[in-house]
Amino acid sequence: MSRIFSGVQPSGNLHLGNYLGAIRNFVGLQDDYECIYCAVDMHAITVWQEPEQLRKNIREVASAYLAAGVDPKKSIIFAQSSVHAHAELAWIFNCVARIGWLNRMTQFKEKAGKNRENASLGLYAYPSLMAADILTYKATHVPVGEDQKQHLELTRDIAQKFNNDYETDLFPLVEPIIMGEATRVMSLRDGSKKMSKSDPSDYSRIVLTDGKDDIARKLKKARTDADPLPEKVEGLEERPEAANLVGIYAALAGMTKAEVLQEYSGAQFSTFKPALTDLAVEKFGPVGEEMKRLMADPGYVDSVLKDGAVRAAEIANPIVREVKETVGFLLP
Ligand code: TYM
């Protein structure tokens, strides 16, 4: 059986990259798969989070899922910390994963920065918890943006080593689902950096709750070069900012980059940016509005999360029991 699992960190500033690279894709998958979508709050605290803000951010992630169109009856929406199987399996995986594997993780290197000695142990072990998130449901497919590819390879390595060490076929080897024209949305201020929640500049990203004026202001200020748009996709090579805006347009419009260029080849950014703004407001605006409405109703969002946690635990607990038995723990 095929099962989908994915997660988003509740660390605030949910942005266009999170939406186009991941959240939007969650919606269509509901028709063909059993889907489990999580607010990964235990991952969020690998860097300091203010507790009251964290609670809001967990509801924000759940609201984003709902506003994008995830149906809480069909799919499971829940917070990671409310299903204890994640933490239990993560510990077992900490004993399977090798330090050398984790040393190669680029996200750790980026997030820890120069002062690696001062990073939390949790930040280092982050990918092992991510493997636990997925495998505690024996999920087979994981929709994510391109930046998570390396973590999913590590998940496969952990599953494979566990299966080898214990001579079992308990865990499946997960497949990433990286789809659409915006699998890596770049910063609006610097086409060489990915759009991220933690960039100090608000102008680097469009957040889900941005209104029309914010979107217009940020796109107007978005860095570009001086040339008109090319005729062919190859003409976007070496033009990271232009490629980024064309990719965003394509993803929002449900077109390919080539189709966007057919329509806009030769156009200056003074024409293309307002067109992109209108499109973003049309496609993205209603999601932000719905999200704000949901965030003003925490009672409803909490009830969705509570129901989701019960259903998630029903799937996860027997699997963790099977893992514990395989490892040699005594089962009460
Ligand atoms: P997070 O919270 O950083 O991002 C959530 C999702 O958004 C995607 N994404 C992007 N896609 C395109 N362009 C961008 N600039 C961009 N920035 C982020 C991410 O690829 C991700 O799909 N480790 C994960 C959370 C996680 C998880 C999991 C995901 C924890 N456990 C299990 C899948 C399965 C993360 O940090 O996502």
Side-chain angles (χ1 to χ4, degrees):
M1 199 212 20
S2 296
R3 186 178 277 153
I4 296 270
F5 182 94
S6 198
V8 173
Q9 289 193 68
S11 39
N13 285 337
L14 286 182
H15 54 71
L16 192 61
N18 301 130
Y19 180 68
L20 295 177
I23 299 171
R24 191 180 67 161
N25 301 331
F26 295 175
V27 182
L29 295 165
Q30 298 179 102
D31 299 330
D32 301 318
Y33 297 92
E34 178 184 15
C35 296
I36 305 172
Y37 298 126
C38 184
V40 288
D41 48 4
M42 298 199 299
H43 276 114
I45 62 162
T46 56
V47 295
W48 166 254
Q49 304 290 327
E50 201 282 311
E52 218 29 69
Q53 192 58 43
L54 177 61
R55 264 185 280 277
K56 282 194 188 128
N57 291 343
I58 295 167
R59 294 184 180 118
E60 184 190 32
V61 169
S63 302
Y65 291 163
L66 292 166
V70 176
D71 176 350
K73 297 240 157 37
K74 235 189 233 173
S75 302
I76 295 177
I77 297 177
F78 75 108
Q80 184 186 34
S81 63
S82 52
V83 176
H84 54 73
H86 294 246
E88 287 185 82
L89 192 56
W91 180 258
I92 294 173
F93 286 170
N94 283 346
C95 303
V96 174
R98 306 287 93 183
I99 287 177
W101 301 354
L102 291 158
N103 282 342
R104 287 194 282 276
M105 294 296 112
T106 47
Q107 185 166 308
F108 174 74
K109 289 183 204 162
E110 277 166 25
K111 283 205 174 177
K114 287 203 180 74
N115 198 358
R116 228 192 256 197
E117 297 281 307
N118 199 35
S120 72
L121 184 55
L123 189 67
Y124 189 68
Y126 180 114
S128 169
L129 175 60
M130 181 161 159
D133 294 340
I134 299 164
L135 294 173
T136 199
Y137 302 94
K138 295 190 182 176
T140 51
H141 295 80
V142 182
V144 281
E146 221 170 83
D147 61 339
Q148 295 302 312
K149 213 169 151 191
Q150 194 185 34
H151 285 158
L152 293 181
E153 275 156 20
L154 189 93
T155 301
R156 290 167 66 98
D157 290 342
I158 290 176
Q160 201 149 31
K161 182 161 165 53
F162 183 97
N163 287 350
N164 280 342
D165 288 355
Y166 292 101
E167 296 176 353
T168 169
D169 56 2
L170 206 152
F171 291 121
L173 295 185
V174 293
E175 293 289 342
I177 301 182
I178 299 176
M179 61 199 267
E181 290 284 338
T183 55
R184 187 176 176 82
V185 177
M186 308 309 279
S187 156
L188 298 178
R189 304 299 289 155
D190 178 352
S192 68
K193 281 196 338 210
K194 91 180 168 185
M195 187 177 283
S196 94
K197 298 177 192 139
S198 54
D199 194 301
S201 166
D202 277 341
Y203 279 96
S204 69
R205 64 185 157 254
I206 293 175
V207 294
L208 277 167
T209 47
D210 272 346
K212 189 175 175 202
D213 293 347
D214 303 305
I215 295 176
R217 200 160 29 89
K218 290 178 181 178
L219 284 175
K220 200 166 175 193
K221 273 210 159 200
R223 187 153 131 193
T224 48
D225 51 43
D227 295 335
L229 286 175
E231 265 175 45
K232 296 241 175 320
V233 177
E234 299 78 67
L236 292 170
E237 278 164 25
E238 317 289 326
R239 295 181 65 187
E241 283 89 10
N244 191 36
L245 295 185
V246 170
I248 293 172
Y249 190 104
L252 285 169
M255 295 162 83
T256 62
K257 286 194 194 100
E259 286 166 343
V260 176
L261 292 179
Q262 261 171 28
E263 208 171 311
Y264 285 99
S265 85
Q268 299 289 343
F269 284 103
S270 54
T271 309
F272 185 65
K273 280 181 170 181
L276 178 56
T277 303
D278 288 346
L279 181 69
V281 170
E282 180 197 327
K283 302 279 183 190
F284 200 56
V287 179
E289 284 308 310
E290 178 62 3
M291 227 176 112
K292 281 187 227 163
R293 194 189 66 76
L294 286 162
M295 276 153 63
D297 188 0
Y300 171 69
V301 176
D302 289 0
S303 72
V304 168
L305 288 169
K306 197 170 164 190
D307 172 63
V310 172
R311 287 156 61 205
E314 275 168 15
I315 303 173
N317 290 347
I319 293 175
V320 170
R321 215 177 144 79
E322 197 186 347
V323 177
K324 284 182 171 175
E325 187 167 30
T326 304
V327 167
F329 293 163
L330 287 174
L331 299 176

